[in-house]
Amino acid sequence: MKKIINNLTKKQWLIWGGLLLFALFFVMNRELITLLFDGNIDAAQTFLKKNMGYALFFLFLVMLIQNSFTIFPLILVITINITLFGFVNGFLWSWLTSILASLVVYYSVRYIFQETIMEKFHPKVIEELDTNGFTYVFQARIFPFVPTSLVNILAGLSTIRVLPYLLATTIGNFFYFFILALIPAGILSADWNEHVIWIIIVAAIVLYYLIKKKKKSIKDMDAVD
């Protein structure tokens, strides 16, 4: 046993340490996590309201898990944040923690897990992200059918630089999270929120391409001059 421990590399220490922390988190919060799995928002909110400081920490870890494995529905996490902290603060906390969590997963995959999981993905998928970079991540953030964790992992496996990745994540998550935040706030009803979401998403994509086309035309004009 001692020989095995001595032979562990730095990366292996980080991997096993991270897994141990995740296991401890689930064990210490099994009651609250069970409530989240069951979708019992009221009971979870009552539990978290007893300690708001711990609630911030716990919900950040939940967002980190969601960005790593997509276990919890995103709308559930946002709903709890908004109920506990109000619409503005709840939305901002959801948005900021999603950015931080995505960076943690991005760096973890790139510098720790890349060799382990690279072979699990088709090279063409990663090549597409290598080629399109910002556009790929931005579109994936605002389309509800692409798991957040998958985007983070693929970005970590690709050659996209952290700045374009961070910018695309920040902008894309702002749009998508704001739309989702309108649902628990009661601004979007269950009958028509899906249509509104798609209208805003399409509008965001059109706006992005218009801005991109305008910038390209300006660069072309500068190159001619």
Side-chain angles (χ1 to χ4, degrees), residues 111 124 149 163:
Y111 296 110
K124 287 187 177 180
S149 57
L163 186 58

Side-chain angles (χ1 to χ4, degrees), residues 99-211:
I99 297 170
L100 291 174
S102 68
L103 282 174
V104 171
V105 178
Y106 169 87
Y107 278 117
S108 297
V109 171
R110 175 154 297 185
Y111 296 110
I112 301 176
F113 299 102
Q114 190 173 68
E115 296 177 1
T116 306
I117 63 177
M118 175 69 82
E119 60 184 19
K120 299 183 183 299
F121 294 91
H122 198 285
K124 287 187 177 180
V125 177
I126 301 173
E127 288 174 9
E128 185 178 351
L129 206 157
D130 288 336
T131 303
N132 298 306
F134 177 91
T135 303
Y136 186 101
V137 175
F138 176 75
Q139 290 179 342
R141 294 302 188 198
I142 61 178
F143 276 103
F145 303 114
V146 182
T148 301
S149 57
L150 181 61
V151 180
N152 299 332
I153 293 171
L154 289 175
L157 295 174
S158 72
T159 59
I160 184 174
R161 293 180 293 110
V162 65
L163 186 58
Y165 170 76
L166 178 60
L167 187 60
T169 298
T170 301
I171 299 173
N173 279 6
F174 183 90
F175 278 113
Y176 187 52
F177 276 52
F178 182 77
I179 295 168
L180 290 180
L182 297 178
I183 299 173
I187 298 174
L188 294 183
S189 67
D191 295 330
W192 55 277
N193 60 48
E194 184 178 348
H195 298 88
V196 174
I197 288 174
W198 276 108
I199 290 172
I200 297 177
I201 286 175
V202 171
I205 294 174
V206 172
L207 180 62
Y208 164 73
Y209 277 108
L210 287 175
I211 294 173

Side-chain angles (χ1 to χ4, degrees), residues 8-187:
L8 289 176
T9 64
K10 186 177 180 180
K11 286 186 177 181
Q12 289 172 329
W13 274 110
L14 288 171
I15 291 172
W16 284 108
L19 291 174
L20 178 61
L21 289 175
F22 267 115
L24 287 173
F25 172 75
F26 274 96
V27 170
M28 295 176 64
N29 297 278
R30 59 185 180 278
E31 180 182 348
L32 188 52
I33 291 173
T34 300
L35 293 176
L36 292 178
F37 272 122
D38 294 340
N40 194 338
I41 298 178
D42 293 334
Q45 290 166 350
T46 302
F47 189 97
L48 290 170
K49 279 181 180 179
K50 297 176 183 177
N51 190 334
M52 297 300 284
Y54 181 75
L56 289 169
F57 174 71
F58 175 83
L59 290 167
F60 167 70
L61 291 180
V62 169
M63 187 64 77
L64 179 59
I65 294 172
Q66 200 272 343
N67 273 263
S68 302
F69 307 107
T70 314
I71 296 176
F72 305 107
L74 184 58
I75 184 63
L76 177 65
V77 183
I78 294 176
T79 298
I80 293 175
N81 281 332
I82 288 177
T83 305
L84 289 176
F85 312 122
F87 177 78
V88 175
N89 292 333
F91 159 69
L92 290 176
W93 185 244
S94 300
W95 177 53
L96 291 174
T97 53
S98 73
I99 297 170
L100 291 174
S102 68
L103 282 174
V104 171
V105 178
Y106 169 87
Y107 278 117
S108 297
V109 171
R110 175 154 297 185
Y111 296 110
I112 301 176
F113 299 102
Q114 190 173 68
E115 296 177 1
T116 306
I117 63 177
M118 175 69 82
E119 60 184 19
K120 299 183 183 299
F121 294 91
H122 198 285
K124 287 187 177 180
V125 177
I126 301 173
E127 288 174 9
E128 185 178 351
L129 206 157
D130 288 336
T131 303
N132 298 306
F134 177 91
T135 303
Y136 186 101
V137 175
F138 176 75
Q139 290 179 342
R141 294 302 188 198
I142 61 178
F143 276 103
F145 303 114
V146 182
T148 301
S149 57
L150 181 61
V151 180
N152 299 332
I153 293 171
L154 289 175
L157 295 174
S158 72
T159 59
I160 184 174
R161 293 180 293 110
V162 65
L163 186 58
Y165 170 76
L166 178 60
L167 187 60
T169 298
T170 301
I171 299 173
N173 279 6
F174 183 90
F175 278 113
Y176 187 52
F177 276 52
F178 182 77
I179 295 168
L180 290 180
L182 297 178
I183 299 173
I187 298 174

